[in-house]
Amino acid sequence: MKKKFILEGLDCAHCASKMETAIGKLDGVKETSVNFMTKKLIIDGEDEKISSIVQEAEKIINDLEPDVVMKKA
């Protein structure tokens, strides 16, 4: 299942790369994409784990960039 989000307040390309890498390592994640230019995050994960993946992704984003808000696209 693919989930799409907008990362409001994202202003660091290096941080976007770190987010993509960290979220991609979560259990159940098949693929992750963070596009710094469009501020979009796409998570492709296993259906039964997607809600916990999204929660963990929010924690990762908060840890790396506390000012970034993850909103559904």
Side-chain angles (χ1 to χ4, degrees), residues 26-37:
L26 293 174
D27 182 45
V29 174
K30 297 174 191 170
E31 187 180 0
T32 304
S33 171
V34 176
N35 185 319
F36 175 68
M37 296 304 290

Side-chain angles (χ1 to χ4, degrees), residues 6-12 15 19 58 61-62 64-71:
I6 301 294
L7 300 175
E8 288 187 357
L10 181 65
D11 58 4
C12 170
C15 297
M19 289 174 191
E58 283 186 285
I61 290 166
N62 265 342
L64 292 171
E65 279 285 308
D67 296 333
V68 173
V69 178
M70 188 170 130
K71 295 192 172 181

Side-chain angles (χ1 to χ4, degrees), residues 3-73:
K3 293 279 188 177
K4 297 177 183 177
F5 302 93
I6 301 294
L7 300 175
E8 288 187 357
L10 181 65
D11 58 4
C12 170
H14 182 67
C15 297
S17 176
K18 290 198 298 190
M19 289 174 191
E20 182 176 270
T21 301
I23 294 168
K25 291 179 181 176
L26 293 174
D27 182 45
V29 174
K30 297 174 191 170
E31 187 180 0
T32 304
S33 171
V34 176
N35 185 319
F36 175 68
M37 296 304 290
T38 62
K39 314 275 191 253
K40 286 187 181 175
L41 163 64
I42 300 172
I43 302 172
D44 186 5
E46 296 174 17
D47 291 356
E48 62 276 358
K49 295 181 180 178
I50 198 70
S51 61
S52 64
I53 291 169
V54 170
Q55 288 177 343
E56 288 298 315
E58 283 186 285
K59 287 179 191 172
I60 289 168
I61 290 166
N62 265 342
D63 288 346
L64 292 171
E65 279 285 308
D67 296 333
V68 173
V69 178
M70 188 170 130
K71 295 192 172 181
K72 287 189 178 179

